[in-house]
Amino acid sequence: QRCLGRQQLLAAVRQMQQLLKGQETHFSEGLRAMRSRLSSLHSTLAKAAPEAPTVSCPALQAPTDGRKFGTKYLVEHEVHFTCDPGFQLRGSSTRMCQANGTWSGQEPRCEEINECSSSPCQNGGTCLEGPNQFQCICPQQWTGATCQYRAQTAPPTQSVPDAAAFSRRPRCAQVAQTQQCSCDPGFHMSGAAANGLCQDLDECEVFQRDGGPRLCAHSCVNTPGSFRCSCPPGYTLLGDGKSCEDIDECSLSQDNCTGGSTCINTGGGFQCVTPQCPPPAGNISYVQTSPFQCERNPCPMESRACHHAAKTISFHYVPLPSGLAAPAPLFRMATAAAPGRPGPDSLRFGIAGGSGRGRFVVQRSDRHTGELILAQSLRGPQTVHVDVDMSEYLERVFQAKHVSKITLFVSAYEF
């Protein structure tokens, strides 16, 4: 009886195994059938649903006395506008094609700049409007493009101890019963030859008044019979005797930047900078991986805001002379794929913020490179900030964003 019961138990186990195996096979077949039906349904829907037409916006033209950057008019593509020198932009400097087929922003136009409206002439100078520029007529004792420098003129011939250096007796000779007098180079005769004086010719004043060639890059100093050029602090006079070259205080260790800050050479001086990563916000935080770059810490999988925040933030410092002619390329952004990983197949560039909005545009120079372009000339001294972002896409899917924070140190001088 005990042996018979054991056989019956084994038979029941085998029967249960066959039953489970049959149910498993039936479940797998049902799952495959369901997947096949879903695939067929998706295929039917794809054939039935018409493809959405590609949305584009109407063509845009460059404003009169201006330029247009950008030739694609599809949704989310941007077009940038700038004005020629002597004109300022009114309206939107950037317009984006929207999903409804219209452009964002307002139609741009270029208005002529009244250079004298900002009263650029200092120390009582008179401003004269000219084509794309202004000219200051300076009172005596002042010189420079905006009458900002005190000019050294010849001292009066009387009551000044060193007046003899600027006025002297002429050299005279008796020739054929007549007396002929002459002056040394750099002097001119004042009064009758018999009792006249040779007075110094102020080359600095004469050339400025007559609109002749510029004698000096910066300041002209009159000397007895000649002149000399001088440069502002932070510059040295070059061998040609008229041009000024910036002194690089950083490379010469003439700066006073403390530990933790970096010296940046600028026109006529230097700046001590200490780039800082943005403070943590929610689950977005950064770590400084080099003196001029921050990288985002890994994001939680479910945080969309974190994944769309800048992956890297870099800091860049660019010295500029005053009055640099626009348009001028200032900075270039590019992307590079990591070894063994596919790089982005498209990039989008934009100006994300800063104090220089309206003065710059971003233009694509090739498939993987964009350039920041100065659209309006900048007068110094001033410091201008502009943030440029570069977004990477792969098969139209957002991958990452990188931000370049650019600081422009505009000099007070045009050299």
Side-chain angles (χ1 to χ4, degrees):
Q1 289 181 352
R2 190 177 299 173
C3 182
L4 180 62
R6 185 173 183 180
Q7 289 177 353
Q8 290 176 345
L9 181 60
L10 289 174
V13 169
R14 283 194 296 270
Q15 186 178 5
M16 183 65 69
Q17 289 176 341
Q18 290 177 356
L19 179 63
L20 290 175
K21 186 175 182 180
Q23 289 181 347
E24 182 180 356
T25 302
H26 181 71
F27 177 78
S28 298
E29 290 177 353
L31 187 60
R32 282 195 296 269
M34 183 177 294
R35 287 177 177 171
S36 177
R37 291 186 62 186
L38 285 174
S39 177
S40 177
L41 183 60
H42 278 299
S43 177
T44 303
L45 289 174
K47 292 178 181 179
E51 291 188 5
T54 302
V55 178
S56 63
C57 293
L60 294 175
Q61 302 298 323
T64 304
D65 302 310
R67 297 176 62 184
K68 174 174 70 75
F69 298 90
T71 57
K72 293 187 177 181
Y73 304 143
L74 300 179
V75 172
E76 294 188 0
H77 280 80
E78 293 181 344
V79 176
H80 306 276
F81 303 92
T82 65
C83 292
D84 296 337
F87 295 84
Q88 60 184 350
L89 186 72
R90 300 294 186 189
S92 300
S93 61
T94 298
R95 304 186 74 182
M96 185 178 71
C97 181
Q98 302 176 114
N100 60 1
T102 64
W103 290 100
S104 65
Q106 299 177 344
E107 182 179 0
R109 66 184 189 279
C110 295
E111 294 183 354
E112 188 172 4
I113 298 175
N114 181 2
E115 298 281 0
C116 291
S117 62
S118 60
S119 303
C121 302
Q122 307 173 32
N123 301 306
T126 302
C127 184
L128 296 180
E129 195 77 38
N132 299 334
Q133 61 181 356
F134 66 91
Q135 180 182 3
C136 291
I137 304 300
C138 303
Q140 197 173 9
Q141 304 295 332
W142 295 96
T143 185
T146 57
C147 307
Q148 70 272 43
Y149 307 124
R150 186 178 293 276
Q152 179 177 337
T153 57
T157 58
Q158 304 295 330
S159 70
V160 177
D162 60 350
F166 289 90
S167 63
R168 59 189 62 171
R169 302 296 301 180
R171 294 194 306 270
C172 297
Q174 197 76 19
V175 179
Q177 298 182 350
T178 61
Q179 189 180 40
Q180 294 185 359
C181 299
S182 63
C183 296
D184 294 333
F187 289 83
H188 66 96
M189 184 71 70
S190 175
N195 57 359
L197 285 175
C198 289
Q199 292 187 334
D200 173 63
L201 176 66
D202 189 343
E203 295 86 355
C204 303
E205 182 181 352
V206 170
F207 274 78
Q208 178 183 343
R209 183 179 64 237
D210 295 344
R214 191 170 183 178
L215 294 180
C216 302
H218 178 58
S219 180
C220 180
V221 180
N222 187 50
T223 60
S226 185
F227 70 94
R228 63 178 176 86
C229 297
S230 68
C231 295
Y235 293 85
T236 183
L237 191 66
L238 292 180
D240 62 3
K242 60 179 290 185
S243 303
C244 297
E245 183 179 57
D246 174 58
I247 298 173
D248 190 342
E249 294 85 357
C250 299
S251 64
L252 297 175
S253 299
Q254 296 180 359
D255 62 276
N256 57 1
C257 297
T258 58
S261 62
T262 303
C263 179
I264 301 295
N265 185 59
T266 62
F270 62 91
Q271 292 283 341
C272 300
V273 301
T274 310
Q276 298 288 336
C277 298
N283 50 25
I284 305 172
S285 62
Y286 291 86
V287 59
Q288 193 158 357
T289 55
S290 75
F292 297 103
Q293 180 161 303
C294 300
E295 294 188 14
R296 189 189 67 210
N297 285 314
C299 292
M301 290 296 295
E302 70 281 359
S303 177
R304 179 181 177 87
C306 182
H307 286 286
H308 279 74
K311 185 176 182 181
T312 63
I313 301 175
S314 56
F315 301 86
H316 308 269
Y317 302 92
V318 182
L320 286 183
S322 179
L324 179 66
L330 300 179
F331 181 78
R332 177 174 292 179
M333 293 184 72
T335 184
R341 297 183 61 184
D345 55 20
S346 65
L347 300 174
R348 294 179 187 173
F349 298 92
I351 295 178
S355 59
R357 282 187 173 272
R359 301 176 178 179
F360 307 93
V361 296
V362 179
Q363 177 182 0
R364 187 186 301 273
S365 52
D366 58 44
R367 185 175 179 182
H368 292 102
T369 308
E371 287 184 320
L372 177 68
I373 296 178
L374 177 68
Q376 294 184 15
S377 181
L378 299 173
R379 292 282 177 181
Q382 64 170 315
T383 300
V384 181
H385 304 277
V386 58
D387 298 341
V388 180
D389 63 30
M390 177 181 70
S391 297
E392 300 177 346
Y393 289 82
L394 181 61
E395 297 180 354
R396 298 187 177 182
V397 177
F398 174 82
Q399 301 294 309
K401 181 170 69 175
H402 307 272
V403 172
S404 295
K405 302 180 78 66
I406 305 163
T407 301
L408 305 174
F409 296 115
V410 186
S411 166
Y413 311 105
E414 298 178 355
F415 45 81

